[in-house]
Structures are given as structure tokens and as C-alpha cells.
Amino acid sequence: METLLEVQELTKRYSQGNVLARIIFTAVDRINFFIRPAEIFTLAGESGCGKTTTANMILGFEEPSSGKILHNGHLQKRGEKVWRTEGVQAIFQDPFCTFNPLRTVDSYFHETVHNYRLARSKKDVTDWIDRKLRLVGLTYQEFAGKYPSEFSGGQLQRVSIARALLTDPKLIIADEPVSMVDASLRMSIVNLFKKLRDELGVSILYITHDLATAYYVSDRIAIMFRGNIVEMGTVEKVLMNPKHPYSKLLRDSIPEADPKRRWTTGVVLSELEQEEYLRRGCKFAGRCSGAKDLCKSALPVDMYVDEVLVKCHEYCGDSKN
Amino acid sequence: MTIQKTPILRTDHLKTFYVLEMYGNRKTIKAVNDVDLNIYEDEIYGIAGESGCGKTTLLKALFTDIYPPLRLVGGKVYYRISDKEEIDATALSQEEKRKLRLVYISNIPQGSMSVLNPVLKIKETYKDFIGSHFVSEVRTPINQPAAKTYNDFIAGHTPWRSREEILEQARQQIAEFGLPKNVLEVYPHQLSGGMRQRVTIALASLMKPRIMIGDEPTTALDVVVQRGVIQMLKEIQKNLKNTIVIVSHDMGVQANIADRIGIMYAGKIVEESTSERIFGQPMHPYTKFLINSLPKFGDKHLRSSVPGSPPSLADLPDGCPFHPRCPQVMDICRRQMPDFSRPAENHKVACWLYGDGKHGNAA
């Protein structure tokens, strides 16, 4: 099977404190996943679950503590600046932080085209940029010479997607691309992702906490919780019929636009993030309604239930493992 | 749901504009343009709209937090401080406003990290909040006759307190909301985003205010935490029986919390009704777009977002401000702003598609 990106046993540990009182906590704990060509893969979970750390390691912003990242079957070397290669590009959460407010936005485009030697003559450069901008529904004329503050949030996020598309990447890593955009304009961004996948064959690692757009746009999904992938499979199976208690909680917490179907049950929130990270057994045991003694002492193993990977003791009870 | 006929918070043709002058060029940004609001006691009122439609400015005006370049151009904001008395909040002095805040009206800000002082423990912030309202009250007498009733109102709430008493009150409140006990002893960065937001809400509801105003209190939180925060706000409202005004662009959040919803577009309220009617029978094309743009589970069909982008508030189109994006645009929309028509008793909508021809010039 051809994979564009493969992550094997990827781990990131952070340590806090001094020599005498050191706390080591595992932000990302031995995760495995892969992305096929022309596929949108979602990494979902609440804030502080290790989604962004994973993205940063894939892009080479951070050094993994252990584990492997394979791009097209090639091992990512230590310190390799993946974000500088043509094949992988990134989109970040806040478009207003992506661009320098004192520089015109088009200067970034010209710079990228120049650095990657994508076009030579002035006309070719403009054409190249214009072609990429048209993909996201903008034109060169309405964008040239403008500063970031002259765009609306949704527009600027689309500009930032166009910038990522300049080098014809095979994989785009989108870290919470819609969380700063208005709910009414979110669809224009996620529709764009669909278009990129279907028309250009671009794969997207879509990192989000918004399961509604994740369901709408992605093919496969992995739900992360405190550094572990707790459930992974196709979106239909994972989101329509969640198995892990945390996935169920996430699924139920999406606000429905229907005042007749409000939440009736309460929800337990985490107190201090670090406490959950340092938990020995299943990290969700403190909030899970069905937690047993076993959950508090041992981390469950990955089990395949109905072609969906689940990390929960409830599903590995028979095998005693 | 019961609606009392006396609104607790009322605006009357409120107009607040940002007036910018640069090199002799005058630029007016019409952020709140002729808004009439009637918000009743014991209800949660939601204000929905895209970013840049003037929601935050409207809240600032309701909170009478009006500083240049923001200017009050016309209209008034009324607070009902007792059964009989209604005061014009825009005429109050700075000191009078300060005393009303937190006791009568309080604000839940959006960025919880920038609300709590990062170098102080949570309990110190509590002391600041409570202390500012108890210790200094006695010193400054209010002389203006207009403020007399309100002085009485405040005085009932403000005996002098010692530091220990303040801490005791803080502990009690923390326990009431089910927040962990050690929350008072930690620094803001040690708390998770959701916990921080809940501490901020707890602080805002500390003095049991009659009106609480929340500016996107759940935006930038993830779904589980968002649900917890909404749950907490609802509980507070149930216990205090006060009024909460929630601004959010997320219609899913509005559906879950609000009793009545006002849809805001380009500085104007374009539709207002109970949340059942807004979601059941939306009338304004913009409201329909807002609701339909939300993705739903089990439905992967292509959904469209609202076409185009919101108009610049400095350069509004003639007539109805939504007409350049409206799929059902008519000739009259380009010329004249529709007045409200009332399809039902508790439903008003400003659109030429509805009504009986009695439309006036301004909404």
C-alpha cells in the first residue's frame, strides 16, 4: 500500500522542573498512523492533547524523542527541515499571525516563487501566483499590494492556503485552520479542502477539535486524548458509532443547531492538565463513567473492533490483555 | 418561558460610531446603527452575527464602556435598577459606572488568559475584584441628584469587608461552582483553558449581578470545554434568575443556550425572536444562511457558506446592507432599508420579503 506519510511509534517527552524535582510527561505517546495520497486525514481532540506537537514533529519544528516519520517511504532525518521541502506545506491557525502585518501579502508569494525557482520571467511569476489564487477563489488583481489588515479573516486564511499551494505540495498540514474563522465562513475553507483533494490529489492532515467539519470533510479520523490515539478509523464508523467513551463524549458535545435538542446531561471537565498526563493507566479514567480498577492501573492496548482501532479496556476484556 | 413586560436592559435608537480623523479625512465606522433592544429579566438573550458586524461594539455600548474613537452618536441605554426606577446609563459619571459594574452589570470577556493577571495567584485576583467594591465605597459620596436612587441601591450591597471575609466568600463561591479547591492557590498558566474561562465566569458572577454580558465566552475553546462552560452559565442563570446576554457567531452555541436571539448584520438587528422560532422558522435570508451553513452529522452533501463577505462598516451599501449577498434581492432592497415587520407577536424581521407594505425608512 502506498503511503504519503507514515508515523511509527512517535513519542515526544517534555520535562519540567530542576534536577531534584523533575516531572517528565509524555505529550505524544507512541502513536502510529499513515496518510494515503489524495486523502484527508483528521487528527481530532481537545486542546492540550498533543495534536499540534504531532504536527510540529512532522514538519520538523520539533525533534521527536523516539519513533520514526516516513515521507513517501523515506525516513525523516534528525533536524531535517521538512517545511522547506516542496512536498509538504503548512497552514496555521491564525492567519493574522501567519503574515507580517508590515509586509504586503504578495511579497510572500513572490519570495516563495523565487526561492523555489518556480517561474522565471515577471509575467510567468504573476501567472503562477494568479493560478494558485484562483484555486481558492481570489485573483491577483484584488490581492496585489495589500497588507494583511485589509483582508477579512476568512479571506486571509484562503490566501494562506494559496501560499501553501504555490509549490504544488503533495501533503498539506493544516493546524486548526478554521477555529479562528466565523462559523458561517468555515464551510468555504473546508469546501476548498475537498476541492483540493478531489481535483489536485492533495492529501491533507486536518487537525481540529471541530468534529462537525471533520465529519464533513475527511476520509479517516484519529481521536487523540492526552498523547494517545484512542480511536482511529473511517469517519463514518468512528463518528456515527463511536466506541471509546471519550469519542462518545466528543461526539455528544457538538452543539446542534436545534433548540429542541439541548444537552440534558452534565459533563465532567479536566481539572489540571498535567494530572491527566501523569496518570498511569488509561488517561481518561478520571472522567470516564465506566472506569474500573484495571483502567486506573494499566494502559489499554490497541484493539481492532469492526476495523476501527480502539484503545479501551472495555474492548479487550476477553483477551485478558 | 415567561416574558415580563418590563425590560431590564433597554436601548433606544442606539447609535455608536467609531469616528476616525486622519489628515483631515473623516471616516465614520457605523458599528452600531440604530439598535432597539428590549432584554427582559430572567432570560438568556443571544446576539449572533459574523465578525465585524458590530456585536462587540454593541456590548461595549450596553456596558457603557464608550471611549474615543468610539462615540455615542445618538440614542440611549437604560438600566432598570429597581421595579420603578429606570436610569439612563449613558449619562452616568465614570465613578457611578464603576460602582454599578460587577454589582449590577458584569462582563465576561473572551480571552481568559489576558483577564487574569499572570503573576498573581487566583486568590489575589479575587481579592482585587471584591476589594475594589467594598473598601472604597464609603469614601466617595455621590452628590448628583440623578444618581440618588442608585446610590441607595449600591449602598445596600456594600458593607466594609476584611481580607479574610473576602477570601471566605471566594472559597464559598469556588465550592458552589464545583471548581477544585486548590484553584485559588495556583497561577493562571497552571489552569487549562476551560478552567480559566470558568474562573473568569465565576469572577464575573461573584457579586450576583442582575445582568451578565458575555463576549464570545466559548470561542476558541474546544467542544467538550465549551459544553462545560455553557452548562455553567445556564446554572448561574437558573440560580440567580438574572439576565445573561451572550454574543457568539456559532449558531450551535446559540441554539443550546439562548431563550431569545437577535441576529445582527452590519450594525443592525435584522431579525429577533425566540430561539425556537429562529431555528424553526427563520425568515431573513441571512438567518437562513447562518443556520444552513452549519455542517450536520450524517449529511455529507456539499454545503454552501454565506456568499461574499460582510460589508465594510465604514462604507455601507445603500438600502438593506445585506442586498449585495442576498439571493432574493429585489429593486427596493437596493434603495431603502426595510422597517421591522412582525410575523408573530415575539418575532420581528427587517426584510422587504415580509410585511404588509407598512415599511418605513429606517429600522
Side-chain angles (χ1 to χ4, degrees):
Chain A
M1 186 181 51
E2 196 191 350
T3 57
L4 195 63
L5 174 83
E6 199 173 345
V7 165
Q8 292 173 353
E9 299 282 311
L10 191 66
T11 305
K12 178 75 194 175
R13 286 185 212 93
Y14 288 108
S15 66
Q16 234 178 29
N18 56 20
V19 182
L20 296 172
R22 171 161 295 167
I23 305 170
I24 293 176
F25 71 97
T26 319
V28 176
D29 189 10
R30 285 166 298 164
I31 61 167
N32 296 291
F33 65 86
F34 59 87
I35 298 175
R36 295 194 196 100
E39 180 186 54
I40 300 180
F41 181 80
T42 299
L43 212 51
E46 60 186 29
S47 37
C49 74
K51 297 173 297 197
T52 302
T53 311
T54 310
N56 285 347
M57 284 191 284
I58 293 169
L59 285 166
F61 290 144
E62 267 180 79
E63 214 47 54
S65 303
S66 66
K68 286 178 193 162
I69 300 167
L70 298 136
H71 290 278
N72 267 330
H74 297 292
L75 188 67
Q76 181 176 326
K77 293 183 212 77
R78 282 184 78 83
E80 192 177 328
K81 304 264 189 303
V82 182
W83 48 274
R84 282 197 189 159
T85 59
E86 290 170 28
V88 183
Q89 287 293 321
I91 301 163
F92 299 101
Q93 181 171 9
D94 188 352
F96 291 100
C97 295
T98 310
F99 297 104
N100 184 338
L102 300 178
R103 268 177 76 178
T104 56
V105 175
D106 59 343
S107 67
Y108 285 91
F109 283 67
H110 285 288
E111 207 169 63
T112 309
V113 172
H114 176 79
N115 286 346
Y116 287 90
R117 294 178 181 79
L118 299 167
R120 285 274 167 110
S121 74
K122 209 168 182 181
K123 192 179 171 300
D124 284 353
V125 173
T126 325
D127 282 352
W128 184 279
I129 296 173
D130 190 48
R131 204 158 56 238
K132 299 299 172 192
L133 281 170
R134 276 179 200 281
L135 285 172
V136 300
L138 295 163
T139 57
Y140 189 76
Q141 276 73 34
E142 59 177 316
F143 134 102
K146 278 193 182 173
Y147 288 91
S149 59
E150 292 173 66
F151 293 93
S152 71
Q155 263 179 335
L156 199 60
Q157 190 61 288
R158 281 185 293 163
V159 169
S160 122
I161 294 170
R163 193 218 51 82
L165 289 173
L166 275 181
T167 60
D168 287 326
K170 285 278 153 259
L171 175 67
I172 289 182
I173 294 180
D175 189 0
E176 302 259 16
V178 297
S179 69
M180 302 289 282
V181 179
D182 263 4
S184 58
L185 296 171
R186 271 180 200 165
M187 293 320 282
S188 69
I189 308 275
V190 287
N191 282 338
L192 183 61
F193 285 158
K194 273 192 163 179
K195 189 176 138 194
L196 295 181
R197 175 194 62 188
D198 298 339
E199 289 174 15
L200 302 178
V202 177
S203 289
I204 294 165
L205 174 62
Y206 178 58
I207 296 176
T208 187
H209 62 250
D210 182 5
L211 288 191
T213 56
Y215 175 80
Y216 177 74
V217 72
S218 53
D219 302 302
R220 289 187 308 124
I221 187 168
I223 305 224
M224 268 186 100
F225 182 74
R226 301 286 175 243
N228 292 312
I229 289 181
V230 294
E231 193 165 348
M232 179 160 67
T234 57
V235 268
E236 273 80 14
K237 280 189 175 144
V238 174
L239 293 181
M240 294 314 282
N241 185 16
K243 293 186 180 60
H244 194 279
Y246 179 66
S247 319
K248 285 179 191 160
L249 175 70
L250 263 188
R251 166 76 175 81
D252 290 341
S253 300
I254 296 163
E256 296 252 7
D258 186 354
K260 287 176 204 110
R261 286 166 60 191
R262 293 184 174 182
W263 299 305
T264 46
T265 52
V267 57
V268 188
L269 293 183
S270 67
E271 300 184 351
L272 296 171
E273 258 172 44
Q274 214 178 44
E275 234 166 71
E276 279 189 336
Y277 265 114
L278 297 176
R279 215 174 266 281
R280 268 176 64 230
C282 175
K283 316 272 191 216
F284 191 60
R287 291 200 248 162
C288 183
S289 57
K292 290 169 279 193
D293 288 345
L294 180 64
C295 302
K296 285 174 184 146
S297 57
L299 193 68
V301 291
D302 296 350
M303 289 292 290
Y304 279 91
V305 184
D306 185 24
E307 292 172 40
V308 172
L309 180 144
V310 190
K311 207 182 184 79
C312 179
H313 279 299
E314 203 186 318
Y315 297 94
C316 44
D318 305 333
S319 59
K320 297 264 178 199
N321 196 3
Chain B
M1 193 192 70
T2 52
I3 292 179
Q4 282 93 346
K5 282 297 145 196
T6 48
I8 187 164
L9 180 60
R10 188 162 70 86
T11 68
D12 180 23
H13 295 286
L14 184 68
K15 280 184 182 175
T16 53
F17 297 167
Y18 290 93
V19 182
L20 305 169
E21 274 186 283
M22 199 185 266
Y23 313 121
N25 286 334
R26 206 178 160 92
K27 197 174 166 189
T28 314
I29 297 167
K30 296 177 178 172
V32 176
N33 196 356
D34 214 344
V35 169
D36 277 325
L37 278 183
N38 285 302
I39 297 170
Y40 301 104
E41 235 172 305
D42 196 9
E43 75 165 355
I44 301 182
Y45 188 87
I47 300 173
E50 288 167 292
S51 27
C53 77
K55 289 173 301 184
T56 304
T57 314
L58 176 60
L59 283 199
K60 272 189 190 167
L62 291 183
F63 204 58
T64 59
D65 190 14
I66 301 170
Y67 295 105
L70 184 63
R71 283 187 205 168
L72 184 76
V73 176
K76 293 205 160 72
V77 181
Y78 294 103
Y79 295 164
R80 178 169 292 276
I81 56 168
S82 68
D83 289 339
K84 296 180 192 96
E85 222 87 26
E86 200 172 46
I87 53 164
D88 178 8
T90 53
L92 297 176
S93 74
Q94 205 53 254
E95 180 63 17
E96 289 165 337
K97 279 183 202 166
R98 193 187 69 76
K99 283 177 183 165
L100 272 185
R101 284 177 190 159
L102 212 61
V103 178
Y104 177 76
I105 185 164
S106 75
N107 187 15
I108 308 162
Q110 182 177 3
S112 54
M113 194 66 213
S114 40
V115 175
L116 303 169
N117 189 336
V119 295
L120 292 183
K121 287 182 177 170
I122 303 284
K123 68 174 178 188
E124 300 297 327
T125 310
Y126 260 91
K127 278 182 188 167
D128 272 0
F129 268 57
I130 307 179
S132 71
H133 271 272
F134 281 119
V135 184
S136 60
E137 300 303 338
V138 198
R139 288 190 219 131
T140 42
I142 300 174
N143 298 323
Q144 287 143 7
K148 195 148 187 312
T149 44
Y150 139 139
N151 192 15
D152 294 346
F153 175 75
I154 296 282
H157 291 264
T158 50
W160 191 86
R161 297 274 178 105
S162 73
R163 293 247 127 180
E164 256 323 293
E165 278 174 310
I166 289 171
L167 261 186
E168 187 50 44
Q169 194 183 351
R171 275 193 213 104
Q172 253 177 29
Q173 205 215 7
I174 290 289
E176 249 172 60
F177 288 130
L179 302 173
K181 282 193 191 102
N182 55 2
V183 113
L184 286 175
E185 302 295 331
V186 300
Y187 290 96
H189 71 265
Q190 288 171 289
L191 298 170
S192 63
M195 188 58 69
R196 246 181 350 240
Q197 188 66 48
R198 286 192 292 161
V199 168
T200 318
I201 294 173
L203 277 169
S205 66
L206 187 63
M207 315 280 276
K208 303 190 169 46
R210 299 306 308 147
I211 306 169
M212 285 168 79
I213 289 179
D215 187 4
E216 306 262 11
T218 65
T219 308
L221 297 176
D222 53 75
V223 283
V224 180
V225 178
Q226 171 171 289
R227 183 175 164 188
V229 168
I230 289 175
Q231 185 183 307
M232 179 174 175
L233 281 171
K234 277 173 140 177
E235 257 166 44
I236 292 174
Q237 200 274 333
K238 224 165 107 191
N239 294 338
L240 298 181
K241 300 225 177 307
N242 61 358
T243 304
I244 299 184
V245 183
I246 290 279
V247 156
S248 175
H249 64 253
D250 192 334
M251 292 304 276
V253 171
Q254 297 285 10
N256 266 290
I257 189 164
D259 297 321
R260 286 196 309 140
I261 297 174
I263 308 286
M264 197 166 177
Y265 187 78
K268 286 176 191 288
I269 298 282
V270 293
E271 186 167 4
E272 184 193 84
S273 186
T274 59
S275 48
E276 283 80 12
R277 277 191 73 96
I278 287 278
F279 285 94
Q281 297 150 276
M283 299 191 87
H284 200 281
Y286 180 62
T287 315
K288 287 180 190 164
F289 262 126
L290 276 185
I291 293 169
N292 289 333
S293 64
L294 289 177
K296 283 197 185 76
F297 269 105
D299 179 12
K300 272 202 162 186
H301 288 101
L302 200 65
R303 285 184 169 268
S304 53
S305 57
V306 189
S309 47
S312 156
L313 293 171
D315 183 20
L316 287 173
D318 287 339
C320 172
F322 189 60
H323 85 253
R325 301 167 81 187
C326 184
Q328 288 160 288
V329 62
M330 295 178 291
D331 257 357
I332 190 156
C333 304
R334 298 197 178 92
R335 281 182 274 117
Q336 224 175 19
M337 176 67 202
D339 203 349
F340 281 116
S341 48
R342 292 179 182 273
E345 197 201 337
N346 51 10
H347 196 153
K348 56 179 187 176
V349 56
C351 183
W352 285 114
L353 291 171
Y354 308 100
D356 42 14
K358 279 192 223 153
H359 285 303
N361 283 323

